[in-house]
Each structure stands twice: as structure tokens, then as C-alpha cells.
Amino acid sequence: MRIVIWLVLLCVVAVVAATTLGSNDGVVTIYWRGWRTDLSLNLFVLIVVGGAFAITSAAQAVNALVTLPKRAGEWRALRRERLAQAALREALAEYFSARYSRAHKVASRAIAIQQDSPELRADAEFSVLAHLLAAGSLHRLQDRTRRDELLRQMPVAGRKGGVGAGRSVDDGARLLAAEWALDDRDAGRALEMLAELPPGVARRTQALRLKLQACRLARRPLEALHTARLLAKHQGFSPVAALGLLRSLAFEALEGVHDTQQLRQLWDEFDAADRRDAIVVARAARRAAALGAVDTGRDWLRPFWERAGELARDEREEIALALIDCVAGVGSDWLPRLEQAAAAHAHEPAVVAAVGTVYAERQLWGKARRLLEQAAGSPALSSMARRRCWRLLARLAREESDEDRARDCENFAAGLD
């Protein structure tokens, strides 16, 4: 088929040439110093076209000969670049295959090829990626000295890349360095590397995860709490996991305070969502009671008792147990809301114990006895709360001069130790 097409094209060219050049009426006469040459127009056109072609070919041949060294240099540079890229790909394959010694050797060869090639030295992205592969391999091999040496060289190469791709690989190097520092249990270095990140990069999910781990490792629960809340907003955890993590970090922060001034300062630094969490507030109130600030603890608990019916059962239990710890010096203004809570949640031992304890603190022994006996006999209540109820009952018995009953209550309380 192709032969047929070429034959048709050849026939077309022959017809066009015969039509165009068939009439040879034109004559071209050239005069030169008394010499005269007559040529047909067709021959003259052919000579001009052939001469132009010959001159162009000669010029191209001369140009190719003159630029031969340059083209040879470009070919060698291209060959070195291909060798370097092949070494980088091989190092990446070896790294993902968990052959870290080979990955380090191949990545080092890629770095050496680049350093020996002046044309490749300006490629900052290649340099940083090769250094990252070599440093990552050394990290897996636990060779921290050489790994840190490579890390110190990488920022220099990254800055050459400007604000575009070079900046991206430089940020990636810092993220990896922070992750490696966490593997080494070096929280300070991890936080230092994360602090060098631009604001936009520092808000990425991976950066926040690393910062959370570093803050927890460095025993900075409040900063870890703020970071975990940002991660929760970015949907870095499931809702259940986020709630549990936020509460545990808030508990850790509360356990780290040593006086009431630190506790109030920490409370002011808590997020509004933490101050609305009944479980966190209950733990804060109990910590305030442990530090002697029972009034502060009751002030934090008051809003939750005013809407106790809206809380979940476990939340009511926590605020009830917290109120038991903060019962000292409770005022009569608490009685109406506690009576309502006892009537609405009479089947919950923690609420009953809290109301009975408040009645006993206010020396309303008649009301307190029934509630305390109900709570003390409930196995669903914690042993600590039941022990306190039995001791209050023993105190009530002594107020009534019933030493035998007081002794029995003390024995019940001792049996719960």
C-alpha cells in the first residue's frame, strides 16, 4: 500500500514539473568582464536552488564542527544527570525495600555525582531529596552522628530552591527531622525543628501530630491540649478518640499544678469547650479541693448542678463525686438545687451521696440519714464515696450518743479500705 502511495505522489510531482517547466521560453544572460553566458530559465532556477542548498549544507557542517566541543559537554552533562537520577530512583527503591545500607550507599553515590557535575549543583531539589534518603537510611541504621551531619547540610541546599519547590522540600526535611527527633525521644529538638516551619506548614495535620507527640514527651500538657484541639478541628481523630484525648490532656495539666494560683491561671487558659465539659470541670473542682480552694471548686460546679437534668449519667456522677470533695463550708443556697436533683435522680447513688453529704455538712441529720444509708449500701458507688458515707453515719450516731451503731458504721467503713 505504501508503495502505491509513493508511486502516485511521484506521478503527481512529474505532472506538476512537466506543466511548470515544460515551456522553456525564458533565457537568463550573465555578463562578466566581456564574457557572456546564456542559460535557460529552468536551468538557472535549478542552479540557484542547488547552490542555496549546497551553501546551507556547508554552513550547517561548519557550525556542527565548531560546536562539537559544546555538544559533547552537553551530552556528558546529560549522561551524568541521567546517572544521578537513576541512582536516586534506585536509592528510593532500596529504602522502601528496607535495605537501608544499600539505600545509603546509592544515595551517597547520587550526591557524589551531583557534586562532581557543575551543571547539577544548582538543582537544590535533587540535593535535598538525596540527602533525605541518605539521612533516613542512617536513621534506620541508628547512625545518629552521620545522620545529623547530613541534616545540617540540607537547609543550605534547600534555601537555593527559593520559595517554590525548593522551599517545599526544605519544609519536608524539617518535618522528617522532627519525626526522627521524636524517635530519639528528643522533644526539645523536635519542637525546635517544628518552630522553624512557616505558619502554613505548621498548621498541617502531620506537623500538628508531631507537635502533639513532642509536647506530651516534653511534659507540656497545656500546649499539647491546644494542639490536640486544633487536630480535632482538622478531623485528625475520630470524635470519640478526640474527646478521650482532650480529657486526658486536661487531667494531666490539672495534676501538674501545685497551688491555687497556678490552678486559676490554668483554668483561664483552658478553652471554652474544656470549661463546658462536665468531666473536666469535675476533675478541676476535685483538684481545687485538694489544694484547699473548695469555694473555687464549688463555683465551677454550680452551673452544672443548675442543669443537672441535661447531663449524661456519667457526667452527673462525676460532678456529684466532685461536690462531695468540695462540701466543706457549703452554703444554704445550694439546698434548693440539690433537693431538685435528689428528687429527679433518686436512683443514682452518686447524686444521693452528694446530697446526703451536703445535708450532713449543714447538720440536717434527719434528711441526711436516709440518703447516706441508701448511698452507703449501693455497690454501684465507688468505695471511697461509700466509705465517706459510712463515716458520716458514724458521726451522726455519735451525735445521737449511739456508740454501738457508730462502731458498726466505722467497721463498715474500714472494710472498704
Side-chain angles (χ1 to χ4, degrees), residues 122-152:
D123 192 348
E125 296 176 57
F126 181 91
S127 177
V128 174
L129 291 174
H131 279 81
L132 280 177
L133 278 173
S137 302
L138 291 173
H139 174 73
R140 298 293 184 179
L141 295 171
Q142 300 296 314
D143 191 345
R144 297 181 177 87
T145 303
R146 288 195 293 167
R147 179 203 67 190
D148 293 340
E149 180 63 27
L150 286 173
L151 285 177
R152 283 191 290 270

Side-chain angles (χ1 to χ4, degrees), residues 247 250-251 254 263 267 270-289 296-305 307 311 315 318-323 326:
R247 284 176 174 174
F251 296 165
L254 289 168
L263 180 61
W267 181 257
F270 270 176
D271 192 83
D274 296 320
R275 295 195 290 267
R276 290 193 301 266
D277 191 338
I279 306 296
V280 175
V281 173
R283 180 62 67 91
R286 299 177 81 169
R287 185 59 181 164
T296 301
R298 282 198 302 272
D299 291 340
W300 292 341
L301 292 172
R302 187 187 305 271
F304 295 92
W305 279 101
R307 53 182 183 88
L311 302 177
E315 294 177 336
E318 289 297 326
I319 65 169
L321 296 176
L323 182 60
C326 299

Side-chain angles (χ1 to χ4, degrees), residues 220-403:
R220 299 183 186 179
L222 184 59
E223 189 174 354
L225 178 60
H226 295 327
T227 305
R229 190 162 295 282
L230 284 175
L231 269 173
K233 290 180 181 178
H234 285 81
Q235 299 181 349
F237 308 107
S238 66
V240 175
L243 181 61
L245 177 61
L246 292 172
R247 284 176 174 174
S248 65
L249 290 173
F251 296 165
E252 186 178 348
L254 289 168
E255 293 300 324
V257 299
H258 303 291
D259 54 50
T260 56
Q261 182 179 359
Q262 289 182 352
L263 180 61
R264 292 190 181 95
Q265 182 179 359
L266 177 63
W267 181 257
D268 292 337
E269 293 178 356
F270 270 176
D271 192 83
D274 296 320
R275 295 195 290 267
R276 290 193 301 266
D277 191 338
I279 306 296
V280 175
V281 173
R283 180 62 67 91
R286 299 177 81 169
R287 185 59 181 164
L291 296 174
V294 290
D295 294 336
T296 301
R298 282 198 302 272
D299 291 340
W300 292 341
L301 292 172
R302 187 187 305 271
F304 295 92
W305 279 101
E306 293 174 350
R307 53 182 183 88
E310 302 175 6
L311 302 177
R313 178 164 182 167
D314 59 334
E315 294 177 336
R316 277 194 301 272
E317 181 179 358
E318 289 297 326
I319 65 169
L321 296 176
L323 182 60
I324 293 175
D325 290 341
C326 299
V327 76
V330 64
S332 58
D333 57 319
W334 277 80
L335 297 179
R337 62 175 63 92
L338 291 177
E339 290 176 355
Q340 294 176 2
H345 309 287
H347 59 286
E348 297 183 14
V351 175
V352 173
V355 177
T357 303
V358 172
Y359 284 161
E361 179 67 19
R362 297 296 302 173
Q363 297 185 352
L364 301 174
W365 299 111
K367 294 183 176 182
R369 173 181 293 177
R370 179 181 59 83
L371 297 176
L372 291 174
E373 288 176 350
Q374 177 184 347
S378 174
L381 192 62
S382 66
S383 59
M384 183 179 298
R386 292 174 62 195
R387 184 164 56 248
R388 185 160 187 168
C389 290
W390 281 118
R391 286 174 178 167
L392 286 174
L393 288 171
R395 179 183 169 188
L396 173 58
R398 289 192 180 92
E399 291 286 339
E400 297 174 348
S401 301
D402 189 348
E403 288 297 331

